[in-house]
Amino acid sequence: MVKTHKTQSILYSLDELRPIRSSVEQCRSYLMKFIEQYKSMNVLDVETRLLNRCVYKNWNARRAELGIQASRRTVRLLEQFLSKREQHLELILSEFKPDHVEIRLPSRGTLNQLLNSLEESSLLLSKVKRLSKVTVDRLRVECNRANYVHYNILMMSLCSRIYFLVVALEKTQKEFCFNMPAYLDYARFLSKAATRRQPSAIREATQLFARSPPTTINFASGSPNTSLFPFKEATITLIDGTNIQLDPSAMSKALQYLPTPGQADLLDWLKKLQDRYHSPQDFNRYDLCITNGSMEGLGKVFELVLNPGDSILVDSPCYSGSLDFLRGFGADIVSIDTDSNGMNDKHLNEILSNWPETKTFPKTLYTIPNGSNPTGASMNFERKKTIYEIAKKYDLLIIEDDPYYFLQFTKSEASFLSMDIDGRVIRLDSMSKVLSAGMRLGFVTAPVPLWQKIVYHQQVTSMHASALSQMVALKLFEKWNLSGFDEHTQRISKFYENQKTLMVDAINKHLKDMVTFNEPTAGMFIWMKLLGIQDTRKLIYEKALAKEVLLLPGSAFFVDQSKSYPFVRVSYSLCTPEQMETGMTRFGEVLREELAC
Ligand SMILES: Cc1ncc(COP(=O)(O)O)c(C=O)c1O
């Protein structure tokens, strides 16, 4: 039945599956016993990696998959065993109600690959009786997933050294959204467009091709032939003088289409990053999608949750890029005051508790928690906790836009993602301030049902973030490891902290008594109120420009741009200490002249 070089699909009846595990409940109780038994075992890294590679990656495949790791003899036995078990799809449908259950056996090529990796891993073979804690945790997770995955069986037979994973996931997206016990009713949050979004057949196929064994003969793909591209390989010299190498094989991958969420190995890295910095309460509720900068992710997230005319609660002042998007989209932007700790919870409460009955209640709150653009303000833990509780009370999703996370000068406070217990946080990260703004790399971390819709959207817009940028980032992460990334981001935050101190000194020296501001603890910006000045736009574009000093007028960051505002945004990212000194001297003169009028 399992033919050489061919992926085989087999349809099972319920009766036929029963000998494996007959129900989710049985499976769960089996696994719980299993978990109890092996809870205290040590971590075997290699085992986790194998499990990760063979099983975990495929969990959200649209088709059920059977991943097998076994000895050759076991594979033969398994084939015989499975060959008796075809047909009767209807029975499964009636019992479990998926659209259909299809179990795909990997080809012999894939099996051999798995076997090779097993054989390489003598550690695994010798310690196969002992499951690591990490694996056990993962099993627990798989077990939890049975809540919303239609039919999720992980059967591990240690004696025969077989790992089975059967995941049946052929549920419609709608069912997926509705049937997540203990989760939010995600369908409630979806815009009409997002509700309508379905997978793009061709993009899903790309995902399938990416996972198929190298021996697969692919007549299906519309991918171009990379051997015709003019690029062969690349060496990129880092600022420390060392190199990262994109050899011809890496280069060929970097020039080809990718599955939409991103390059699998880079996604793994980014998941590790998220886990390290945010330790989400249950990371398995979330998935990641790499985007062309976090701005692309933001646009997708806004369109995920908003219909034109829907209300969204935002910091005021707020990042102008988001405001411009929301304005163009036709959202009803509801400004919430901010203070030195970011979004003001009292004002938020006031707005929500007095929400007019005639107006549709908002479902989303958008905030920039660290080193906000433009205010430089950062939310402390208490403020975040309070805002989270308000979001809980009013059943709001929180869109956490955090591109300045790695530019925090003091120890970072727990993020919304870290504290999320309900699955109500969508987090956006950006590599723009850390690796490069021009590479256009960001990533969205969202609860799986929402993530899925973001992916569907990206499938039919940018398709995926630049594969070349992703490959460069991957090579860099592989070279650095997490510790290297950590050191790098610490260097960055030190630099910006030093710049901030110099800028604050220059402001205090040259603008004293003419401005007020809060000293930022993160980011690249100082938000200044000019005392006695009503319209900074006029002042900047007419008078400051003439004296060759530029600041950004605050009006760009307010919903109503027709009004005049006494604020300016000062950026300290690029200027030298000398420029800060000269620039603030000039701006001081501008202010004095203006105030003298
Ligand atoms: C608050 C905020 N969100 C998002 C972005 C967009 O970042 P990216 O370059 O990752 O698209 C920026 C850019 O400055 C920003 O300040």
Side-chain angles (χ1 to χ4, degrees):
M1 185 195 51
V2 180
K3 293 181 191 129
T4 317
H5 304 314
K6 197 171 170 204
T7 302
Q8 186 84 25
S9 294
I10 309 157
L11 302 174
Y12 288 92
S13 76
L14 187 62
D15 279 338
E16 286 164 299
L17 281 171
R18 210 156 253 145
I20 302 178
R21 285 291 147 207
S22 65
S23 72
V24 172
E25 270 318 310
Q26 254 182 295
C27 163
R28 213 176 288 158
S29 73
Y30 171 77
L31 286 176
M32 288 330 278
K33 266 195 233 137
F34 189 78
I35 287 164
E36 280 311 307
Q37 203 175 336
Y38 289 95
K39 223 188 307 206
S40 57
M41 295 298 172
N42 291 335
V43 171
L44 294 177
D45 207 7
V46 61
E47 180 190 348
T48 312
R49 248 184 288 139
L50 276 173
L51 198 63
N52 199 19
R53 183 150 99 226
C54 305
V55 171
Y56 184 69
K57 250 188 209 170
N58 291 335
W59 82 269
N60 55 18
R62 295 193 73 237
R63 305 233 182 280
E65 295 206 359
L66 175 60
I68 304 163
Q69 300 174 21
S71 70
R72 279 167 211 278
R73 194 176 139 269
T74 320
V75 171
R76 266 201 307 280
L77 284 175
L78 191 67
E79 285 173 2
Q80 286 165 13
F81 169 73
L82 293 172
S83 64
K84 295 182 197 140
R85 311 185 170 284
E86 287 181 76
Q87 305 157 358
H88 302 130
L89 172 63
E90 289 73 14
L91 270 174
I92 301 177
L93 295 181
S94 62
E95 185 97 358
F96 291 113
K97 301 189 187 65
D99 292 342
H100 67 269
V101 171
E102 182 177 316
I103 297 175
R104 291 178 61 251
L105 277 183
S107 68
R108 171 103 43 198
T110 310
L111 283 177
N112 282 340
Q113 274 178 1
L114 295 176
L115 289 177
N116 288 342
S117 48
L118 265 184
E119 273 157 14
E120 276 161 29
S121 155
S122 55
L123 186 60
L124 174 67
L125 289 176
S126 65
K127 299 195 178 170
V128 76
K129 294 179 290 311
R130 300 174 44 201
L131 266 192
S132 68
K133 183 168 174 320
V134 170
T135 304
V136 168
D137 286 343
R138 176 145 293 150
L139 291 181
R140 197 199 312 272
V141 157
E142 293 297 341
C143 199
N144 288 339
R145 277 203 186 124
N147 284 335
Y148 61 92
V149 171
H150 242 299
Y151 184 66
N152 182 353
I153 299 174
L154 182 61
M155 187 185 99
M156 304 195 79
S157 166
L158 293 176
C159 343
S160 59
R161 298 174 184 173
I162 300 174
Y163 290 155
F164 276 87
L165 172 71
V166 178
V167 180
L169 263 182
E170 193 60 35
K171 290 166 66 92
T172 64
Q173 193 57 30
K174 200 162 163 222
E175 278 177 306
F176 196 45
C177 290
F178 278 113
N179 299 333
M180 295 180 76
Y183 281 40
L184 303 182
D185 169 11
Y186 289 111
R188 182 180 100 74
F189 293 101
L190 297 181
S191 66
K192 287 186 184 133
T195 307
R196 280 193 302 269
R197 280 189 205 290
Q198 289 295 315
S200 144
I202 199 151
R203 289 267 78 216
E204 293 280 305
T206 308
Q207 179 98 30
L208 196 68
F209 301 153
R211 285 205 311 264
S212 58
T215 44
T216 306
I217 297 169
N218 186 352
F219 295 138
S221 164
S223 303
N225 194 320
T226 53
S227 68
L228 300 174
F229 293 153
F231 311 100
K232 189 173 165 205
E233 54 189 316
T235 304
I236 298 176
T237 307
L238 306 183
I239 49 175
D240 66 2
T242 63
N243 292 334
I244 49 174
Q245 189 71 32
L246 269 61
D247 62 19
S249 147
M251 189 52 126
S252 161
K253 281 191 199 152
L255 299 175
Q256 192 52 279
Y257 288 122
L258 279 178
T260 294
Q263 224 263 17
D265 293 334
L266 181 61
L267 279 169
D268 283 348
W269 269 101
L270 297 177
K271 281 176 193 166
K272 277 192 218 152
L273 277 192
Q274 289 305 64
D275 216 11
R276 178 189 181 97
Y277 291 105
H278 304 287
S279 315
Q281 311 262 343
D282 180 359
F283 200 15
N284 300 287
R285 288 178 168 205
Y286 304 88
D287 215 327
L288 268 67
C289 179
I290 301 172
T291 50
N292 291 290
S294 63
M295 193 64 230
E296 186 196 17
L298 271 176
K300 300 268 183 296
V301 170
F302 290 143
E303 291 196 40
L304 173 82
V305 292
L306 293 172
N307 296 309
D310 281 356
S311 304
I312 178 165
L313 306 152
V314 307
D315 296 327
S316 180
C318 180
Y319 170 50
S320 56
S322 296
L323 284 186
D324 290 338
F325 183 99
L326 290 167
R327 216 178 271 120
F329 182 78
D332 169 44
I333 311 169
V334 181
S335 298
I336 307 294
D337 294 345
T338 56
D339 53 35
S340 58
N341 273 325
M343 186 177 272
N344 184 303
D345 52 304
K346 293 192 182 56
H347 191 220
L348 177 63
N349 241 330
E350 193 185 311
I351 293 277
L352 290 171
S353 55
N354 295 308
W355 195 263
E357 273 178 23
T358 49
K359 216 171 137 184
T360 312
F361 203 79
K363 289 180 286 189
T364 38
L365 176 157
Y366 166 68
T367 187
I368 302 157
N370 291 304
S372 169
N373 183 358
T375 63
S378 298
M379 278 190 195
N380 59 20
F381 178 74
E382 287 69 34
R383 179 65 63 86
K384 279 194 198 131
K385 203 84 197 120
T386 316
I387 300 272
Y388 188 85
E389 287 310 316
I390 297 173
K392 217 174 160 71
K393 179 173 166 195
Y394 291 101
D395 200 11
L396 305 171
L397 284 183
I398 297 176
I399 303 172
E400 176 174 49
D401 179 16
D402 206 358
Y404 304 100
Y405 177 82
F406 292 109
L407 275 63
Q408 294 181 74
F409 312 145
T410 49
K411 201 173 157 294
S412 57
E413 303 267 6
S415 62
F416 281 114
L417 179 65
S418 308
M419 62 178 67
D420 186 21
I421 45 171
D422 304 334
R424 64 173 71 254
V425 173
I426 302 179
R427 181 177 164 83
L428 293 112
D429 284 273
S430 170
M431 287 291 126
S432 288
K433 317 309 187 253
V434 180
L435 296 189
S436 145
M439 280 168 73
R440 304 306 301 132
L441 285 181
F443 51 102
V444 183
T445 308
V448 170
L450 300 178
W451 163 86
Q452 184 70 85
K453 290 291 190 181
I454 294 168
V455 171
Y456 291 165
H457 192 177
Q458 200 184 22
Q459 284 182 342
V460 292
T461 49
S462 62
M463 290 208 208
H464 57 77
S466 157
L468 188 54
S469 295
Q470 293 193 45
M471 183 56 84
V472 172
L474 173 65
K475 292 287 168 194
L476 189 68
F477 283 135
E478 283 176 351
K479 183 179 168 67
W480 273 351
N481 280 318
L482 285 173
S483 57
F485 181 78
D486 227 23
E487 282 165 27
H488 175 71
T489 52
Q490 279 172 27
R491 260 199 315 277
I492 289 181
S493 73
K494 281 258 160 328
F495 170 84
Y496 283 106
E497 182 178 18
N498 191 40
Q499 290 284 99
K500 180 264 309 177
T501 308
L502 292 171
M503 186 60 98
V504 166
D505 290 349
I507 293 172
N508 283 336
K509 186 168 159 196
H510 298 289
L511 310 182
K512 206 164 172 30
D513 300 331
M514 293 187 287
V515 301
T516 56
F517 64 95
N518 291 313
E519 192 167 330
T521 54
M524 315 188 320
F525 307 113
I526 294 173
W527 182 244
M528 276 192 326
K529 181 173 184 183
L530 311 189
L531 301 174
I533 307 260
Q534 288 313 311
D535 185 3
T536 55
R537 193 166 23 189
K538 207 155 167 282
L539 181 81
I540 300 290
Y541 292 139
E542 287 174 12
K543 308 215 166 131
L545 193 58
K547 278 219 189 286
E548 297 190 342
V549 55
L550 257 184
L551 298 90
L552 201 63
S555 54
F557 304 98
F558 289 96
V559 175
D560 186 350
Q561 295 190 332
S562 63
K563 285 193 193 156
S564 47
Y565 297 91
F567 301 100
V568 288
R569 189 191 75 177
V570 183
S571 170
Y572 47 81
S573 57
L574 290 175
C575 42
T576 60
E578 295 73 35
Q579 287 171 326
M580 292 184 200
E581 185 64 24
T582 317
M584 284 305 162
T585 310
R586 289 179 192 169
F587 193 57
E589 286 165 17
V590 173
L591 279 184
R592 266 186 290 278
E593 279 170 24
E594 183 72 7
L595 291 170
C597 292

